Amino acid sequence: MFDVSDIEYGPKSLKSGKSSGIDDLCAENILYAHPSIIIHLKLLFNMICTHGFVPDAFGEGITVPVIKDQLGDHSLTSNYRPITVGPVISKLFEYCILNKFEHLFHTDPLQFGFKKNSSCSRAIFVLSQTTDYFLKHGSNMYLAALDATKAFDRVHHIKLFDKLIGRGFPGRIIKVLLDWYGKTFSTVKWYGCFSQAVCVRSGIRQGGVLSPLLFNIYINSLLCALRSSDLGCHLGDVYVGCIAYADDILLLSASLVNLQKMLNICHSHGDDLDIIFNPGKSCLFKVGKCHNELLPNLRINDAEITWVNSLKYLGVHFVSGRSLNVDISPLMRKFYAAANAILSHSKDVTEITRLYLLESFTLPMLTYGLNVLFLSQFQLKKLNSCWNSIYRRIFGFCKWESVKEIQLLCERLDLIHLIDKSKFEFFDKMYKCENYIIDRCGQLVKRCINITQLYNRYDVYVDDKVCSFAVSRKFYQTFGRRL
């Protein structure tokens, strides 16, 4: 079943620097092993498929509880996220299955999670463009963000395998997965101590390569049911009534009545999938002329879902109003907290090294999601001021001194042009994307912004930066001792 090319795909996909499993093997043991290991792995994996069962060690994993909120209550189990590390050989086997049967893992385009050439940015982009489209046409937008309680842990194995059979997965692969999930055990590691192994009877395997893809297949029928109902938002003939990123489901509708019907579909279909939507953690969100109106609460699971003025979706904080506004203050708080931590622990390194550290670890926090969102000039200036303050702290500048010259000397762009550059790169990739929903949203953006002008503005700035090195030399002569 598997040939050498399938086996070679596995080591190429492994990431270095990861923890070892219960067998004390890590990715480096495979990557730097003798080339003959490919032949041995090929024989092992083919025998697994031939006989229909996996070694017992494939089902063993080490679970490490990781604290979600360091400032929260450490005695609450809900404040911990379990991270499971499995054997590296089992991950190689999963990579081989993925490489061989990648076409069978296809799911609805409305699902943006755990897919090749997909990301949170694309889901946020679809949300922002759909909302802008309906608001510009004089309509209100009503959103429902649903929280599925322990969705990954509630996957019913028999129903999952039934969906795999319906997709045409080979019987040998299903038999292997059935045996694999029947011998899944987890051992909890806490401060160097190990608990007894506990058998896992439901949910997808923690730490598995195929696990998120299998979850997408499991929940795909819910997205298909919403699409079949034809309720919710449309961009022309393209249905965008639902945006999903794994178990984060967002319903979009221009009608309250239709939104309630969509919630009813989620409730009834969730019962079939053993997925429970938590009304307490779910919320309703409105944008448009109705943002100040008192609207009745909608219901799911025979309980009410309340309206909120602020919605956090995929790490972006949206604020209700006549348009879809973005709250940048959480980004700034995270940025300053991370920057202060790095600066306080890097006093003995050079200025350029500190700048590299901050660019690597804090700049992505400050610019998260901004490549697909259009902020006001006031917000851009505030973010640019945040980033400029880092240059002042690194190079010892006063608050009233400009950092433009030091940015030119360091061959860096300011934050506004960095955001323009990331927007252009996103749009360039978007037009090459095969997702027709992204393509439709891209057509809407073309009417609002000239991508060529965006690139030219960035390109001209780069040319000006090169021409400004004469000024930078004079600046260096004046402030060179500071560097």
Side-chain angles (χ1 to χ4, degrees), residues 288-307:
K289 298 177 182 179
C290 67
H291 72 281
N292 283 327
E293 298 179 5
L294 293 177
L295 300 177
N297 294 330
L298 304 184
R299 302 180 67 85
I300 191 172
N301 293 347
D302 296 328
E304 290 188 344
I305 308 178
T306 58
W307 294 91

Side-chain angles (χ1 to χ4, degrees), residues 106-111 115 163 167 216-231 239 241-242 244 249 251 265-266 269 273 436:
H106 175 75
T107 54
D108 195 285
L110 293 170
Q111 175 63 260
K115 284 185 174 181
K163 293 179 181 294
R167 282 176 167 262
N216 283 352
I217 293 175
Y218 186 75
I219 205 173
N220 188 65
S221 56
L222 173 58
L223 305 182
C224 294
L226 290 169
R227 182 185 292 277
S228 301
S229 69
D230 210 32
L231 299 171
Y239 179 76
C242 174
I249 299 176
L251 306 180
I265 292 174
C266 292
H269 208 81
L273 297 176
Y436 63 88

Side-chain angles (χ1 to χ4, degrees), residues 444-460:
L444 298 177
V445 173
K446 283 183 178 180
R447 302 174 186 175
C448 306
I449 182 172
N450 191 325
I451 307 301
T452 305
Q453 291 179 358
L454 179 67
Y455 177 75
N456 289 339
R457 186 171 63 179
Y458 161 71
D459 196 38
V460 168

Side-chain angles (χ1 to χ4, degrees), residues 330-386:
L331 296 177
M332 295 169 61
R333 286 195 296 268
K334 289 183 179 180
F335 168 75
Y336 279 126
N340 290 334
I342 292 176
L343 290 172
S344 63
H345 290 84
S346 59
K347 296 179 180 179
D348 298 329
V349 300
T350 63
E351 287 84 354
I352 295 299
T353 303
R354 300 175 86 186
L355 182 59
Y356 272 119
L357 289 173
L358 290 163
E359 286 176 334
S360 301
F361 296 101
T362 66
L363 187 58
M365 295 181 182
L366 194 63
T367 59
Y368 175 76
L370 301 186
N371 57 337
V372 296
L373 298 170
F374 296 93
L375 303 181
S376 64
Q377 289 297 321
F378 175 74
Q379 290 176 313
L380 289 174
K381 289 180 180 179
K382 285 188 67 176
L383 293 173
N384 191 48
S385 177
C386 286

Side-chain angles (χ1 to χ4, degrees), residues 7-290:
I7 307 301
E8 289 178 345
Y9 174 79
K12 291 179 181 178
S13 303
L14 289 175
K15 296 180 180 179
S16 302
K18 300 297 181 179
S19 300
S20 58
I22 202 166
D23 54 0
D24 289 331
L25 293 178
C26 57
E28 288 79 2
N29 295 113
I30 304 297
L31 295 173
Y32 303 112
H34 192 275
S36 62
I37 193 175
I38 299 294
I39 304 301
H40 295 285
L41 291 174
K42 174 187 172 183
L43 295 174
L44 172 64
F45 295 164
N46 283 325
M47 283 192 293
I48 289 175
C49 295
T50 300
H51 297 286
F53 66 89
V54 299
D56 293 343
F58 273 29
E60 298 177 357
I62 299 177
T63 301
V64 181
V66 178
I67 297 176
K68 296 180 182 179
D69 184 9
Q70 291 288 348
L71 301 178
D73 189 353
H74 291 194
S75 63
L76 296 177
T77 56
S78 58
N79 195 29
Y80 289 86
R81 178 182 290 108
I83 305 297
T84 303
V85 182
V88 66
I89 302 296
S90 67
K91 292 183 179 181
L92 282 173
F93 181 57
E94 290 181 284
Y95 276 121
C96 294
I97 295 177
L98 179 60
N99 186 50
K100 194 76 172 181
F101 306 103
E102 185 177 5
H103 61 285
L104 297 177
F105 288 94
H106 175 75
T107 54
D108 195 285
L110 293 170
Q111 175 63 260
F112 291 89
F114 307 116
K115 284 185 174 181
K116 184 184 291 186
N117 299 325
S118 185
S119 62
C120 295
S121 297
R122 300 198 176 191
I124 297 170
F125 176 70
V126 173
L127 169 61
S128 63
Q129 293 306 311
T130 303
T131 305
D132 290 344
Y133 176 81
F134 276 83
L135 295 180
K136 288 178 182 177
H137 287 77
S139 177
N140 295 316
M141 277 290 293
Y142 306 102
L143 291 79
L146 301 181
D147 177 80
T149 304
K150 304 292 183 181
F152 289 90
D153 297 330
R154 297 184 63 88
V155 173
H156 196 284
H157 292 168
I158 302 302
K159 295 179 180 180
L160 173 62
F161 297 138
D162 183 62
K163 293 179 181 294
L164 296 180
I165 293 172
R167 282 176 167 262
F169 273 82
R172 287 184 291 178
I173 297 298
I174 295 177
K175 188 177 179 181
V176 168
L177 292 176
L178 185 62
D179 177 74
W180 199 341
Y181 273 82
K183 55 176 65 170
T184 301
F185 292 86
S186 181
T187 302
V188 180
K189 181 181 179 181
W190 184 259
Y191 285 99
C193 300
F194 294 86
S195 69
Q196 293 182 349
V198 178
C199 183
V200 180
R201 295 299 185 187
S202 65
I204 57 175
R205 292 178 51 255
Q206 282 270 356
V209 175
L210 296 179
S211 297
L213 303 178
L214 294 176
F215 180 80
N216 283 352
I217 293 175
Y218 186 75
I219 205 173
N220 188 65
S221 56
L222 173 58
L223 305 182
C224 294
L226 290 169
R227 182 185 292 277
S228 301
S229 69
D230 210 32
L231 299 171
C233 295
H234 293 74
L235 296 178
D237 57 346
V238 178
Y239 179 76
V240 286
C242 174
I243 300 175
Y245 195 93
D247 60 336
D248 290 327
I249 299 176
L250 190 67
L251 306 180
L252 298 85
S253 176
S255 167
L256 273 179
V257 176
N258 287 345
L259 185 59
Q260 180 61 67
K261 293 180 180 178
M262 297 171 71
L263 289 172
N264 295 338
I265 292 174
C266 292
H267 171 55
S268 60
H269 208 81
D271 288 340
D272 296 336
L273 297 176
D274 294 336
I275 293 178
I276 299 176
F277 294 102
N278 186 355
K281 293 186 178 180
S282 301
C283 62
L284 302 173
F285 186 76
K286 54 184 180 293
V287 187
K289 298 177 182 179
C290 67

